[in-house]
């Protein structure tokens, strides 16, 4: 692998220092010599804030996956034979290296992921918390011993599976890989990571820190690519388990593909969250937290609450939300709103806002002006009041009356899979019928309308 970078500057403006990286091949902790002279496909890595090409990453094919599996298979016996305490010692060193190189990793996340500085710091810090947890595994992994009958003792142990693969999304380049990789490694497994091809730089640098911490060659490797790469990893008979984080649609595909061949799989899909504001809410606190939730990380996180349901008279809460959303500034410093990941996401979100407006939605805060910037992939915070369930961008789901308000509300089991973009927050209309039945029309961010009738 070749890499040339400019030293990061801490006297920054709205955009982080540009790095230029070229990946000669799939990154592993053990560089492999090129064995093929033919040109390899590659993908450009773009800075969301500027649209600048900041790198080219080689797209791994089936042969790269096979080479990574062979390297992991060779490294597995030695790594697995170490005590859990010895493996945890590597994680201790790695954890400290993550702290030491915090600023460098933050710069990379801002550059390739578009986060503001505070969000990028949180990305690294939260990921490192899992590394710290992995350091405690010598106390967590011991099995149990129980005499269940006279002369009969049951003993359970925790043994490494072998080679596992982790497939992760773009929105948290450091934190989400750290959900699984440190734990799997400390447990004695070899890990092959497939990061999003949109944000490969951060985990490439982290792989170097793992190597510096003492991780043996072949124990942790990275392959890059999209669907063919994922399929090759999932289908490989030597890969014993798969973890996936991403959209619900793809999570279901990965889970079914693994289960069809009886392979262990943990597939986590998307999530969109609802906020309910009651008449006795603290309007200022709620407005602040609502805006931070839906606009933070440009809305590109599973904890973004993109739906606000107002119940009864909530005073000036809606006005406060709109005022705070409209006051947000584009940029990558603390408190500013960064770009979305790429132009495709920007265009999809803008298109959906336009379709909703054409269908009669009222625009309370319009972030489409940000999209006119010549550089980068920007969309401003947007608040819409949707007045019709016939909006073309929506799926409609009607709930029948529920006998008791406190009864469990059975919702669409997976509405989030239909949500194409994170940016706008929609505020519902509400009416009180003469019969005393409260009818709330709830709109889930341009794609889902729920009509709830509570008796």
């Amino acid at each position: 692998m070749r890499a040339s970078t400019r030293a990061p500057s801490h006297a920054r403006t709205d955009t982080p220092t540009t790095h230029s990286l070229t990946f000669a091949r799939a990154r592993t902790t053990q560089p492999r010599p090129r064995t093929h002279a033919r040109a390899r496909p590659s993908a450009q890595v773009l800075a969301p804030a500027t649209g600048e090409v900041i790198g080219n990453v080689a797209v791994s094919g089936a042969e790269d996956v096979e080479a990574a599996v062979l390297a992991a298979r060779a490294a597995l016996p030695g790594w697995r034979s170490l005590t859990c305490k010895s493996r945890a010692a590597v994680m201790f060193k790695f954890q400290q290296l993550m702290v030491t190189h915090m600023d460098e990793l933050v710069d990379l996340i801002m550059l390739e992921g578009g986060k503001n500085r505070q969000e990028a710091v949180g990305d690294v810090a939260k990921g490192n918390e899992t590394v710290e947890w992995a350091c405690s595994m010598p106390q967590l992994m011991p099995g149990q011993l129980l005499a269940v009958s006279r002369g009969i003792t049951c003993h359970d142990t925790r043994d490494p599976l072998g080679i596992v693969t982790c497939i992760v999304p773009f929105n948290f380049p450091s934190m989400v890989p750290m959900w699984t990789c440190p734990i799997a490694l400390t447990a004695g497994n070899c890990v092959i990571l497939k990061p999003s091809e949109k944000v490969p730089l951060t985990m490439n640098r982290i792989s170097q820190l793992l190597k510096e911490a003492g991780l043996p060659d072949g124990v942790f490797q990275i392959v890059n690519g999209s669907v063919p790469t994922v399929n090759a990893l999932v289908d490989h008979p030597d890969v014993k388990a798969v973890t996936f984080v991403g959209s619900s649609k793809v999570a279901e595909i990965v889970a079914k593909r693994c289960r069809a061949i009886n392979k262990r799989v943990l597939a986590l899909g998307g999530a969109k969250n609802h906020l309910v504001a009651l008449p006795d809410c603290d309007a200022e606190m709620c407005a602040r937290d609502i805006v931070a939730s839906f606009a933070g990380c440009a809305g590109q996180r599973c904890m973004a609450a993109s739906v606000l349901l107002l119940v009864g008279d909530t005073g000036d809460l809606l006005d406060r939300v709109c005022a705070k959303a409209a006051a947000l500034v584009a940029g990558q410093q603390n408190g500013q709103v960064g770009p979305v990941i790429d132009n495709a996401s920007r265009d999809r979100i803008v298109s959906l806002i336009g379709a909703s407006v054409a269908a009669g939605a009222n625009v309370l805060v319009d972030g489409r002006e940000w999209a006119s910037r010549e550089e980068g992939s920007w969309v401003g915070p947007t608040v819409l009041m949707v007045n019709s369930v016939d909006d073309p961008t929506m799926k409609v789901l009607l709930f029948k009356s529920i006998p008791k308000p406190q009864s469990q509300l059975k919702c669409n089991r997976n509405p989030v899979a239909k949500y194409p973009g994170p940016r706008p927050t929609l505020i519902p209309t509400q009416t009180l019928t003469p019969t005393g039945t409260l009818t709330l029309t709830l709109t889930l961010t341009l794609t889902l309308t729920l009509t709830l009738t509570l008796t």
Side-chain angles (χ1 to χ4, degrees):
M1 172 184 174
R2 301 185 302 275
S4 61
T5 65
R6 292 205 303 247
S9 170
H10 298 292
R12 56 178 60 256
T13 58
D14 278 353
T15 55
T17 302
T18 300
H19 296 237
S20 175
L21 288 89
T22 300
F23 292 78
R25 197 176 170 89
R27 172 68 191 175
T28 72
T29 56
Q30 180 180 17
R32 301 190 300 271
R34 290 193 181 191
T35 56
H36 299 276
R38 63 179 178 81
R40 305 180 60 81
S42 63
Q44 290 184 333
V45 184
L46 305 178
T50 64
E52 177 187 4
V53 177
I54 56 175
N56 290 278
V57 58
V59 176
S60 303
E63 63 181 24
D64 289 306
V65 171
E66 182 64 32
V69 171
L70 288 174
R73 189 192 302 167
L76 181 61
W79 181 244
R80 181 170 52 190
S81 67
L82 296 177
T83 63
C84 183
K85 180 176 178 293
S86 297
R87 296 192 294 263
V90 176
M91 288 298 117
F92 272 111
K93 295 177 183 178
F94 173 58
Q95 189 274 339
Q96 188 55 50
L97 287 170
M98 290 283 284
V99 174
T100 301
H101 294 271
M102 168 73 83
D103 288 343
E104 179 187 0
L105 296 174
V106 166
D107 284 346
L108 283 174
I109 291 171
M110 293 175 67
L111 176 66
E112 67 176 354
K115 292 183 183 294
N116 71 30
R117 173 158 289 275
Q118 185 177 18
E119 293 162 351
V121 169
D123 192 339
V124 179
K126 285 297 179 182
N128 212 19
E129 287 181 6
T130 310
V131 180
E132 293 171 359
W133 190 92
C135 293
S136 69
M137 288 182 66
Q139 286 72 47
L140 300 171
M141 281 190 64
Q144 302 181 56
L145 188 66
L146 179 66
V148 296
S149 185
R150 183 174 299 175
I152 300 177
T153 300
C154 287
H155 184 200
D156 70 87
T157 61
R158 292 175 173 84
D159 299 316
L161 294 174
I163 303 171
V164 301
T165 190
C166 303
I167 304 162
V168 296
F170 72 85
N171 58 341
F172 287 93
S174 171
M175 183 183 74
V176 175
M178 294 300 104
W179 284 354
T180 52
C181 293
I183 299 171
L185 290 169
T186 310
N189 299 288
C190 289
V191 174
I192 301 175
L193 175 73
K194 208 298 287 183
S196 169
E197 63 278 11
K198 298 176 182 179
V199 290
L201 311 185
T202 302
M203 280 309 301
N204 177 75
R205 180 65 181 113
I206 288 176
S207 73
Q208 296 169 354
L209 298 182
L210 280 166
K211 172 70 173 177
E212 185 177 343
L215 200 69
D217 292 341
V219 173
F220 179 81
Q221 301 174 85
I222 293 176
V223 294
N224 296 285
S226 55
V227 175
T229 310
V230 171
N231 290 343
L233 289 167
V234 169
D235 294 344
H236 201 289
D238 288 337
V239 173
K240 301 303 181 183
V242 174
T243 69
F244 173 89
V245 179
S247 71
S248 295
K249 177 181 178 181
V250 179
E252 183 176 9
I253 293 171
V254 170
K256 287 182 176 179
R257 194 177 186 103
C258 288
R259 289 168 186 154
I261 54 178
N262 294 321
K263 182 166 294 187
R264 295 172 187 249
V265 59
L266 174 65
L268 304 179
K272 281 291 175 280
N273 306 284
H274 302 59
L275 295 176
V276 179
L278 301 179
D280 62 347
C281 70
D282 183 321
E284 178 61 24
M285 181 185 70
C286 285
R288 182 184 66 245
D289 292 344
I290 288 165
V291 173
S293 179
F294 91 84
C297 294
Q300 300 174 129
R301 55 183 176 184
C302 62
M303 293 304 294
S306 55
V307 182
L308 174 61
L309 176 62
L310 302 177
V311 179
D313 182 7
T314 55
D316 63 349
L317 174 60
L318 179 55
D319 292 336
R320 290 173 184 255
V321 168
C322 292
K324 291 181 183 298
L328 290 172
V329 177
Q332 291 187 278
Q333 296 308 301
N334 295 348
Q336 297 178 334
V337 178
V340 294
I341 189 63
D342 56 21
N343 286 348
S345 293
R346 177 201 64 193
D347 295 343
R348 183 175 64 249
I349 295 166
V350 170
S351 175
L352 286 168
I353 296 172
S356 185
V357 171
N362 295 325
V363 182
L364 305 183
V365 179
D366 194 342
R368 288 175 292 179
E369 182 180 350
W370 291 19
S372 62
R373 289 188 168 202
E374 293 183 1
E375 296 181 344
S377 306
W378 300 85
V379 184
T382 299
V383 181
L384 302 175
M385 176 81 79
V386 176
N387 299 312
S388 172
V389 296
D390 296 323
D391 190 294
T393 63
M394 304 196 183
K395 297 288 185 180
V396 178
L397 180 63
L398 181 64
F399 292 102
K400 297 182 179 180
S401 296
I402 302 173
K404 296 181 180 179
Q406 66 268 27
S407 298
Q408 182 179 3
L409 180 64
K410 295 183 178 179
C411 234
N412 184 342
R413 64 179 179 177
N414 189 24
V416 299
K418 295 178 170 52
Y419 178 59
R423 293 301 291 169
T425 289
L426 296 142
I427 310 300
T429 60
Q430 65 176 43
T431 59
L432 186 63
T433 68
T435 60
T437 301
L438 180 63
T439 303
L440 305 175
T441 302
L442 172 62
T443 305
L444 177 55
T445 320
L446 294 181
T447 59
L448 182 66
T449 296
L450 309 180
T451 301
L452 301 100
T453 302
L454 304 181
T455 301

